[in-house]
Amino acid sequence: MQIYLPIAELSVNALVLLGLGGLVGLLSGMFGVGGGFLITPLLFFLGIPPAVAVATGANQVVASSVSGVLAQLRRKAVDFRMGLVLLGGGVIGSAGGIWVFAALARAGQVDVFVQLCYVIFLGGMGAMMLQESLATLRRSRRPGAPVRRAHVHTWVHGLPFKMRFRASGLYISVLPPLAVGAMVGFLAAIMGVGGGFIMVPAMIYLLGMPTKVVVGTSLFQIIFVTAFTTVMHAVTSQTVDMVLALLLILGGVVGAQVGARIGLMLRAEQLRILLALLVLGVCLRVALDLLLTPDELYSLAPGVMP
Amino acid sequence: MRWLALLLLLACPARAETIVAGLSQTSVAITADFTGEEILVYGAVKREAPAPDGPPLHVIVTAEGPQGQVVVRKKERRFGIWMNGDAVRVDRAPAFYAVAATGPLGAILSETENLRHRITIPRAIRAVGISSEARDAPAFVDALIRIREVEGRYALDEAGVSLAEETLFRADVMLPSNLTEGDYRVRLFLLRGGRVVDWQEQVIPVAKAGLERWIFNLSREQPLLYGLLSLLLAAGAGWGASAAFRLVRS
């Protein structure tokens, strides 16, 4: 069933888009990531223009995050206070990212910069997560091994402006969450992602938040970052394709609910291993595009060049 | 004076053969289920006198979409990775261009006439002054043509026009599904011995219709409203799915 996308200006198979949305929604519900880091590259492969893929991807992430956060809210797994602090940092980072993106677009280097960001951040985070969760799994297999302490004091705890985050059971400085938020906001603007794949590990390892509130809080923050991104793209570049978004969303919201169910059945360490493998897989795919000689050396872009 | 007029009339062979042509449709509407469209171009050669002797008659049909500026970039290996290097700006390139003819263009069309009417694909692209932008600028224009041919936006069919009895002709022009809106110009050329004997032009407006039209207009005229509507749609769908699943479970 072919359908014409009014903003992307091409005709695609509606069932493929529904399936794509469903798959990404499933992963988003399981891991608490928005799924933008999957949907944007996948839309490229379908031949959707990059600008439309990034903007519409952000719009789809809003829907899957709303659907996911509602499930987490009922389990009381959202730390609103932490979410708001992260969001504060996110707005600052996003503004910086928009500025950098515009400068790169003028130089014609957006593609390579976005790809490098994917490789560096997906690769780094994926490797860290995999290594950590495999170590945890090994420890839990060896009975009698010492259990890691819940609160390890690091340099993070020596910083000023401390704040109490009751839902997370933390009393830490607001600076690290602000920095994490800013980092994620920056990447959201550049890569067209919600940033969950970076935020989830950062919350666990850097901020020391308990895993049970990480997913909900991450989704809560992602909703606002991607909502901001969507409206901004709609106003500045007019590249949000409502029809494309709706098809992805229809598949995505169903997938997210199923994913949340599956997530409940798996152990936290297993979830983290799976997410790490997924992140590394996407990283590898993007890295190959950078390293292998492309079939077509030339590319076309409409419009003006300075 | 009367003698002179008669002499001029006889000596003027240019209008001896003219085109009468029609299109299978007057407009193309892009709706939600648009998957491309085929336009039939048909016509006949009108003559005051019997067909002249000499080189055989040929017909060329071109269809041209809206023009736009295009930046062509070339990837280079730098620091071990492939990234964009040189870029060339092409002033005007049609978003769609199809040529159909009764024979090989090189044989039936002279270069002078090609220049005058901009008939072949390279001639339809205006790339003046590009040689100053990159060392191998022509390769960039070749790449533009190659990429658009793969996308189905540019097409050349040298056996695409069928001509019967040097009088009746027809051609089918395929419009692909990735179509850009605008006025599409269909031109018909009548040739003898490489020279254009007569030509004419018809315009087919290609426009989005129905819901596609409404969505596109809203995104251009009320972008903020459009963005907020997209958000509302997304949030609503997310909430709806959550509510529906709770209902199913209870």
Side-chain angles (χ1 to χ4, degrees):
Chain A
M1 196 188 110
Q2 296 290 115
I3 188 154
Y4 187 84
L5 306 174
I7 308 296
E9 297 198 315
L10 61 105
S11 169
V12 287
N13 193 320
L15 295 177
V16 169
L17 291 178
L18 284 172
L20 189 65
L23 180 75
V24 172
L26 188 84
L27 298 166
S28 129
M30 273 171 76
F31 303 121
V33 292
F37 77 99
L38 289 169
I39 217 145
T40 311
L42 285 172
L43 287 179
F44 290 171
F45 299 151
L46 283 182
I48 309 282
V52 176
V54 168
T56 309
N59 194 14
Q60 122 85 21
V61 173
V62 173
S64 65
S65 307
V66 167
S67 176
V69 90
L70 289 172
Q72 300 289 338
L73 271 176
R74 278 190 292 278
R75 294 162 55 198
K76 301 214 183 313
V78 180
D79 186 337
F80 286 104
R81 201 162 199 191
M82 180 63 86
L84 288 173
V85 172
L86 288 168
L87 188 58
V91 170
I92 300 165
S94 177
I98 291 154
W99 184 81
V100 171
F101 194 88
L104 285 165
R106 283 194 295 274
Q109 297 300 351
V110 166
D111 303 8
V112 77
F113 187 75
V114 169
Q115 280 173 311
L116 278 176
C117 278
Y118 267 93
V119 171
I120 293 167
F121 288 100
L122 291 178
M125 284 300 165
M128 252 174 61
M129 269 192 287
L130 189 66
Q131 189 255 337
E132 208 280 341
S133 45
L134 283 176
T136 315
L137 204 65
R138 267 201 302 277
R139 267 202 302 277
S140 66
R141 288 239 176 95
R142 232 180 320 131
V147 181
R148 215 165 63 128
R149 281 174 58 201
H151 289 279
V152 186
H153 265 262
T154 59
W155 59 270
V156 168
H157 297 86
L159 293 170
F161 311 115
K162 290 208 172 189
M163 199 185 221
R164 194 171 294 284
F165 298 98
R166 206 153 281 136
S168 304
L170 289 176
Y171 180 61
I172 56 164
S173 161
V174 294
L175 295 178
L178 274 178
V180 169
M183 181 74 181
V184 167
F186 180 81
L187 295 174
I190 297 267
M191 296 161 73
V193 297
F197 70 95
I198 295 193
M199 199 150 47
V200 166
M203 287 159 110
I204 295 172
Y205 303 122
L206 208 69
L207 305 182
M209 284 171 69
T211 312
K212 67 174 169 62
V213 295
V214 160
V215 171
T217 310
S218 158
L219 285 174
F220 170 78
Q221 196 262 10
I222 287 170
I223 292 173
F224 294 99
V225 169
T226 50
F228 176 68
T229 310
T230 304
V231 173
M232 207 186 64
H233 277 303
V235 171
T236 59
S237 57
Q238 300 169 342
T239 47
V240 179
D241 196 309
M242 210 183 261
V243 175
L244 175 60
L246 196 64
L247 284 168
L248 293 172
I249 287 166
L250 283 179
V253 288
V254 177
Q257 297 294 326
V258 177
R261 281 303 110 70
I262 298 173
L264 287 178
M265 290 187 281
L266 291 170
R267 299 216 323 267
E269 298 86 59
Q270 293 172 324
L271 267 178
R272 268 187 259 159
I273 291 179
L274 285 176
L275 179 59
L277 290 176
L278 183 73
V279 165
L280 284 176
V282 176
C283 166
L284 192 71
R285 178 68 186 78
V286 178
L288 284 179
D289 277 347
L290 279 175
L291 296 171
L292 297 179
T293 307
D295 291 335
E296 176 61 79
L297 285 178
Y298 296 85
S299 63
L300 306 182
V304 283
M305 194 173 72
Chain B
M1 276 308 281
R2 201 183 283 174
W3 279 97
L4 192 69
L6 193 67
L7 206 70
L8 272 173
L9 206 68
L10 286 171
C12 185
R15 306 297 298 167
E17 293 179 305
T18 52
I19 301 180
V20 188
L23 303 172
S24 59
Q25 54 203 99
T26 50
S27 68
V28 173
I30 302 179
T31 51
D33 58 353
F34 182 79
T35 56
E37 190 132 351
E38 201 172 51
I39 293 176
L40 168 67
V41 182
Y42 57 91
V45 182
K46 193 169 137 192
R47 290 186 189 90
E48 303 297 329
D53 292 332
L57 189 73
H58 283 287
V59 177
I60 298 176
V61 174
T62 69
E64 183 180 343
Q67 302 264 358
Q69 200 174 71
V70 180
V71 177
V72 186
R73 294 199 167 90
K74 185 186 183 186
K75 286 198 177 69
E76 287 166 9
R77 194 189 273 277
R78 283 190 208 159
F79 316 111
I81 58 170
W82 288 93
M83 57 195 291
N84 282 333
D86 286 346
V88 159
R89 186 179 53 217
V90 175
D91 291 332
R92 278 155 65 86
F96 173 82
Y97 196 77
V99 190
T102 45
L105 289 182
I108 66 173
L109 175 71
S110 78
E111 193 48 38
T112 344
E113 295 285 23
N114 187 13
L115 268 172
R116 183 175 300 153
H117 296 284
R118 299 177 172 277
I119 293 175
T120 59
I121 296 172
R123 287 274 166 262
I125 295 167
R126 194 200 291 165
V128 283
I130 56 159
S131 42
S132 62
E133 293 185 41
R135 265 165 288 127
D136 51 348
F140 284 73
V141 179
D142 291 346
L144 165 68
I145 296 171
R146 186 172 63 239
I147 292 170
R148 292 230 157 135
E149 273 176 351
V150 170
E151 289 175 346
R153 287 176 185 270
Y154 288 178
L156 168 63
D157 186 357
E158 293 183 325
V161 180
S162 57
L163 177 66
E165 310 273 325
E166 294 223 326
T167 306
L168 292 171
F169 64 88
R170 65 167 287 171
D172 295 302
V173 177
M174 270 302 302
L175 298 180
S177 66
N178 51 354
L179 209 55
T180 311
E181 272 194 309
D183 282 343
Y184 281 60
R185 195 156 71 108
V186 176
R187 292 180 298 166
L188 302 100
F189 296 94
L190 216 55
L191 303 111
R192 260 189 207 282
R195 292 201 27 175
V196 174
V197 178
D198 188 32
W199 74 281
Q200 65 152 278
E201 180 180 313
Q202 309 223 355
V203 172
I204 308 181
V206 172
K208 297 183 177 101
L211 189 62
E212 310 288 305
R213 170 95 263 150
W214 184 82
I215 291 174
F216 184 80
N217 283 351
L218 187 68
S219 79
R220 293 299 183 273
E221 286 155 19
Q222 301 278 343
L224 184 64
L225 193 69
Y226 178 87
L228 292 175
L229 187 65
S230 303
L231 274 189
L232 198 70
L233 221 61
W239 174 82
S242 176
F245 265 79
R246 216 151 32 120
L247 213 71
V248 167
R249 209 154 48 111
S250 63

